Amino acid sequence: MLKPLAGCRVLDLGIITAGAATSALLSDLGAEVIKIESPTYHDPFRAWASDEASLRTPEGSPPFFRSNNRNKVGISIDLKQPAGRSAFLRLLAGADVVVENFRRGVMERLGLGPEDLQVIKPDVIALSISSQGATGPDAPQVSYGSTLEAVGGQAYVTGYEDGPPVISGRDLNYPDQIVAIFATSMVLAAWLRRKRTGLGAIIDVSQRDLTSFMLGDLLAAGKAGSEPVLRKGNAEPAYPLQDCFRAADGEWIAVSVTHEQCATVAELVAAPDAGSRPLTAAARTWISQQSSENGIAAFRGIGVACSRVLDGKEILKGKGTLWDHAFISGADGVLLKGAPFAIDRDPLTINRDAPAPGADTRTVLEGMAGYSQTEIETLRNAGVFEAPN
Amino acid sequence: MKPLEGISIIEAYGSDCPPALHLAGAFAGRILADLGARVSIAASDGRRLHSMEQSINGTRGLFTFLQAGKIVRPDADNPADTRGELAEAHAAIIDHSLLDDLNAEKLPGPSVVVSFFGRDMRQVPASEFTVLALSGILNLVGDPTREPLRLGGHQVAYAAGLSAATALLGLLCVDRPAEPASQEPVWISALETMIWTNWKSVVGVEIGGDGGKRQGDAAEWQVVRCSDGWIALVYQEADWQRLRSLIEDPRLDEPRFATGAGRRSNAAELARIAEDRFRSFTRAQLRSEFLARGLPCGPVWSLDEVVDDRHNVEREVFSMSASADGSTIPLITLPASWDGKRLQPGLIPAID
């Protein structure tokens, strides 16, 4: 088994997607992840799509929450109270990484900002993920993935040739997803450095910066004095023909034809010549007369990239062909989010479902922070801890 | 000390490497170079990437962005020399056509193989666009009455590059030779990365979701016009009253806008009403109005505006990076600060 983060303990204050999903990836890579919520503030993702009672675990977690929090233990301590803060610091003594994605200033007001943590534990790897970074005039703003696409440049370069900028919308929330992969890479880099040097790290990841970084070549182009980048729909310079076309069965198929392939495709679709416009027009007509299956087979048969435009239902059926580890099943058979890559030959499995709030408070605080059960019960009754009866 | 100081990484691409996979590998290499690794590229691969700039993007900038901080090594004379180079480095980023060139399935050290679909489907022709189609993401973007729309830029290649960089860092963290399995290359599938980012569309199916469909101007969140451009209209239920006070239109008093469900059902009309109001404001003015009300704010900045934006300038998101030819260009830095500092991109190498 390849577990790069074997022996690493993560205190996971992450919520919703960016923070919680990062910690989920860290657990996939072998880290022991302790999800920390508060008796007065549970991860808001617990409340998303929570009306689908038939698909909840006995503890009541909806699939979206389960997807970002499987393979974690869960505790609940009120960090606003001195006794709760004290418990956190006792856990910090035996931890390696702290992950959080609260609004800027929340951790600092608790006296648990990255610099505070580093004073207490110099080799800690403190990862903060935020929408717009820890500094700068926009840092305090409320943001969502779609606003970050707007200010990050992604919306500007996405859109039909005759239309406005387009955001990917709340169903995808693209910046939230990719930040989890990037933030995981930063933790791994810090872990590697710590193994070699003993040094900790304070890492501040900005989703807005990442959104722009994913356009780094286009951003460099503008300042290099190149032609302005314009929205061109699905067109790209590398492909004289690239677009989606509707087949006879109503399905959309996506096609990308390189310059070298134009002549061959012109023959296939009976285009009058291999120029971009006549080729596109002929391809549209030809595809509209084919089933999507036949059209795709014909294009692929001559080496042209061509695929049907799928939706989530069709992807669901693609285990073993389209995906292997992007999704994994919980113990109840419900499909949950997996990982974007797998470095371990052993398949990723769910060893424990996402925890209920405070499900493991007693065992974690006793085993890792040295509390007695009597102390835990006293503090639970005082509202500092949350644990099942 | 930069995190990967002292670590050497080779990028190597086969003769038939698809451009998108070259971009994916180069993106991963850029991240690792920014982290301090000594990342080397073959001279011919550098020339090939530079020559792709116009054909792939129609602009310059690709080579500059992706190769900053890397070292150019002479081309290997034969596969045995390539294997030797791979063996000497701590780790490697390659594409699957190089495995074919080397007639190898294993490599001397930790490595990631960038691919469109993974090992078993590597012969299937693909592009970033067709990967987007198979990932379901294409289906989510654009107007439902016309062809679906791709995300701008090289999102598929660079997302695969994120996976590649992360996986390689994972391999470097594993103790060797205790774990001989770490010698097996890790295959990165661009499709699986993109499907994973679209997880809500898939997981949501099991709770009655429709698998993700584009909604165009009926989307709850969308871009609307203002006097000097566009702004993303993004809000949650708790923001509604404040947004309504900003739009200040009596049509929003109608019963159909009274509930969240009603607003979602009439999102197109709501956006048009907002646009009627916003047309008399610039993006900067709207930004002030939104912020004064604690509303999420998303003015659509052009690429030059992103570089010049005050938030990015104050955070030093862009760094004036030097080329080997003496010129300088603002290059975006790695989207993370380490101990309060941005990691500066290295020198942009010369192209022989």
Side-chain angles (χ1 to χ4, degrees), chain A residues 55 132 138 154 158 160 174 177 193 195-196 202 204 208-209 217 221 234 238 256 312 324-326 335, chain B residues 1 5 55 57 60 127 143 147-148 150 152 155 173 192 199 206 211 287 309 311 315 337 339 342:
Chain A
L55 287 167
Q132 310 211 52
D138 296 348
Q154 177 64 56
T158 302
Y160 296 105
Y174 183 64
Q177 316 310 331
R193 183 175 81 166
K195 287 173 73 164
R196 298 163 71 204
I202 293 176
D204 170 35
R208 174 177 171 172
D209 292 358
D217 52 316
N234 293 322
S256 301
D324 283 311
H325 42 74
L335 202 68
Chain B
M1 174 189 165
E5 256 177 53
S55 63
N57 278 1
R60 286 156 38 199
S127 64
D143 188 334
E147 70 278 11
R150 72 180 190 97
Q155 301 307 315
C173 286
E192 195 137 14
W199 66 277
E206 293 203 328
R287 183 176 175 280
D309 181 73
H311 178 77
R315 284 171 50 74
S337 70
D339 301 320
R342 307 290 293 209

Side-chain angles (χ1 to χ4, degrees), chain A residues 66-88:
Chain A
R66 292 173 69 191
S67 282
N68 280 341
N69 294 283
R70 74 286 187 284
N71 290 338
K72 301 179 185 176
V73 298
I75 71 172
S76 183
I77 55 179
D78 187 353
L79 298 180
K80 293 203 200 74
Q81 299 198 44
R85 184 174 177 278
S86 178
F88 180 86

Side-chain angles (χ1 to χ4, degrees), chain A residues 10-261:
Chain A
V10 177
L11 301 184
D12 172 24
L13 294 156
I15 57 172
I16 310 177
T17 294
T22 299
S23 297
L25 288 180
L26 298 178
S27 84
D28 294 343
L29 293 166
E32 175 188 29
V33 177
I34 303 168
K35 181 174 182 72
I36 303 176
E37 294 174 277
S38 166
T40 58
Y41 184 78
H42 293 163
D43 186 332
F45 230 23
R46 288 186 184 279
W48 288 31
S50 62
D51 55 348
E52 306 298 335
S54 63
L55 287 167
R56 293 190 207 174
T57 63
E59 294 83 9
S61 301
F64 284 5
F65 176 80
R66 292 173 69 191
S67 282
N68 280 341
N69 294 283
R70 74 286 187 284
N71 290 338
K72 301 179 185 176
V73 298
I75 71 172
S76 183
I77 55 179
D78 187 353
L79 298 180
K80 293 203 200 74
Q81 299 198 44
R85 184 174 177 278
S86 178
F88 180 86
L89 293 177
R90 283 164 84 164
L91 288 170
L92 179 66
D96 304 289
V97 179
V98 176
V99 175
E100 62 91 10
N101 64 316
F102 292 123
R103 292 269 305 266
R104 294 301 84 201
V106 166
M107 292 295 285
E108 286 77 0
R109 285 193 292 277
L110 292 170
L112 297 173
E115 288 79 10
D116 302 313
L117 300 181
Q118 204 174 50
V119 167
I120 298 163
K121 194 167 193 295
D123 67 348
V124 73
I125 296 165
L127 172 71
S128 299
I129 306 169
S130 62
S131 299
Q132 310 211 52
T135 59
D138 296 348
Q141 288 175 19
V142 175
S143 310
Y144 298 99
S146 292
T147 59
L148 300 179
E149 289 181 26
V151 297
Q154 177 64 56
Y156 186 78
V157 300
T158 302
Y160 296 105
E161 186 170 11
D162 53 356
V166 170
I167 51 179
S168 69
R170 67 188 307 170
D171 287 344
L172 175 60
N173 229 9
Y174 183 64
D176 278 25
Q177 316 310 331
I178 54 172
V179 78
I181 310 176
F182 178 72
T184 299
S185 76
M186 294 299 102
V187 171
L188 286 166
W191 183 245
L192 184 62
R193 183 175 81 166
R194 198 176 101 159
K195 287 173 73 164
R196 298 163 71 204
T197 66
L199 291 173
I202 293 176
I203 305 170
D204 170 35
V205 169
S206 158
Q207 289 176 245
R208 174 177 171 172
D209 292 358
L210 178 62
T211 302
S212 295
F213 191 78
M214 299 288 279
L215 300 169
D217 52 316
L218 300 181
L219 288 162
K223 292 300 182 179
S226 287
E227 290 294 318
V229 176
L230 301 171
R231 289 182 294 283
K232 293 264 188 204
N234 293 322
E236 285 186 273
Y239 303 100
L241 167 56
Q242 177 168 280
D243 212 338
C244 290
F245 304 96
R246 206 186 276 276
D249 51 11
E251 299 290 340
W252 288 100
I253 66 174
V255 184
S256 301
V257 176
T258 65
H259 291 275
E260 296 77 15
Q261 295 169 332

Side-chain angles (χ1 to χ4, degrees), chain B residues 55 59 66 77 92 123 127 132 153 170-171 189 201 205-207 217 232 241 245 252-253 267 270 286 291 310 312 352:
Chain B
S55 63
T59 67
L66 292 173
D77 290 327
Q123 301 307 327
S127 64
L132 269 183
L171 290 175
S189 162
S201 291
V205 171
E206 293 203 328
I207 54 171
D217 65 1
Q241 292 302 335
S245 77
L252 297 182
D253 296 332
L270 195 159
L286 278 171
L291 293 180
R310 188 166 72 97
N312 290 336
D352 294 329

